[in-house]
Amino acid sequence: MAAISLGSGRPPMRRAFLLLKLTAVTLSVLLFCEFLIYYGVIIRCHWPEVETPADGRGRGPPEPALRAMFLADTHLLGAVRGHWLDKLRREWQMERAFQTALWLLQPEVVFILGDVFDEGKWSSSQAWADDVERFQTMFRHPAHVQLRVVAGNHDVGFHYQMNTYKIKRFEKVFNPERLFSWKGINFVLVNSVAMEGDGCDICSGAEAELLEISQQLNCSQEQEHHPGRCGDRGPLPASAPVLLQHFPLYRRSDAHCSGEDAAPPAERGIPFQERYDVLSREASRKLLWWLRPRLVLSGHTHHACEVLHGAGVLEVSVPSFSWRNRNDPSFIMGSFTPTDYVLAKCPMPREDTVLTTYCGAAACLVVLTLVHVRLLASPLHVGWNLLRKFKTT
């Protein structure tokens, strides 16, 4: 009887040991997939260095570069089309990626190039307030970091859906300022949905505002040769602006785009529709002529692309920031001085990597359980027997 009582104490200990192993594996995988993987991937990104004349000629310290981060198409799900599990998974991914990037890279300004929300074009007042609250939690940032946002078609609707109420609602949350200057660099934030060119009140107002900004920029660039030209208004930095908007400037298609995060090959040759996929030819010409930008950054397509316009003006289409739109999201890092800029792309964890890790962990848990209930021999035991058999032969 004593032998029986001693033997009966072992199964509970074995079960406790199994539970400990399963818990350890589960917590380790969760820690890796939900936290550590973001640090492991984003820590490999570095700010590109701008080469200035002072760097090569020894005329003093180089100009301090402004560190700017650009992301696009976060598409926070709303009350109508947003499944709770989809919201939880994809929004947690964006929050962790953004917070990790802030901590590791420490940008001075972050720009989001439209389509912040997925259902802003039709959401009720309460749904809008809920979405804004979630956005402010996910994209929280220190007070010294500037966050600037441009409107996208999912935020205020396409031209036929857009109205003054939706525009004002968006601008109440996000700074409506169209011209942002810092460290001698000018950024022009365009509501590209309003560049329809049909003379509607919102469109006319947007164009008038851009014309005013154009005059300010031209005045500042001529101030050195014509003092007092700007009148009572203080001149802006005499630097060609960076144009930021949601819709890309006009291009026929993505046929000339390349890279892993470009559109799939089967989609690249599909012609773009003006005023839906890209701005119209006319609106694109106006923006390039009025503002004379040195660089254009846009979103909307969810894919990466680089295009040269006119006299060599580079446009970079920024891929979506969300797993919901692509398996391999990323964002752009830019170092800017008044006379130069350099861009670099920072990849984020791939969704298939995380899913594969979870599947591998699940298989490991199944094996541990089967070994415990003796439905499967221990891999160590099998390996030891094979080694012994090999030695004997």
Side-chain angles (χ1 to χ4, degrees), residues 216-227:
Q216 288 182 260
L217 292 170
N218 292 334
C219 156
S220 298
Q221 292 173 10
E222 297 174 4
Q223 178 75 8
E224 182 178 351
H225 305 289
H226 303 280

Side-chain angles (χ1 to χ4, degrees), residues 47-52 55 62-63 65 334-337 339-342:
W47 290 103
E49 295 185 3
V50 180
E51 294 184 3
T52 64
D55 291 332
E63 298 177 89
S335 299
F336 293 86
T337 68
T339 57
D340 201 2
Y341 67 87
V342 185

Side-chain angles (χ1 to χ4, degrees), residues 338-387:
T339 57
D340 201 2
Y341 67 87
V342 185
L343 303 179
K345 186 176 295 181
C346 182
M348 290 151 54
R350 297 170 61 97
E351 187 175 29
D352 58 3
T353 300
V354 173
L355 293 178
T356 301
T357 304
Y358 275 127
C359 290
C364 180
L365 295 178
V366 171
V367 169
L368 288 174
T369 305
L370 292 178
V371 169
H372 174 77
V373 298
R374 302 185 187 281
L375 292 178
L376 184 69
S378 169
L380 293 176
H381 183 66
V382 171
W384 175 250
N385 287 339
L386 290 174
L387 182 62

Side-chain angles (χ1 to χ4, degrees), residues 286-308:
K286 283 181 179 179
L287 290 174
L288 291 173
W289 175 251
W290 291 346
L291 301 173
R292 313 224 174 187
R294 53 175 166 154
L295 173 67
V296 181
L297 291 116
S298 59
H300 189 55
T301 66
H302 300 171
H303 306 300
C305 190
E306 294 185 6
V307 183
L308 288 177

Side-chain angles (χ1 to χ4, degrees), residues 76-81 87 117-132 134 153-157 161 163 165-166 169-170:
L76 273 68
L77 293 174
V80 177
R81 299 195 306 185
K87 283 184 181 180
F117 306 108
D118 193 60
E119 300 180 10
K121 54 188 176 182
W122 61 50
S123 60
S124 65
S125 298
Q126 184 58 52
W128 172 263
D130 293 341
D131 293 345
V132 168
R134 289 189 356 260
N153 55 288
H154 278 266
D155 301 316
V156 297
Q161 298 170 308
N163 57 42
Y165 168 74
K166 293 176 185 176
R169 182 171 72 174
F170 183 85

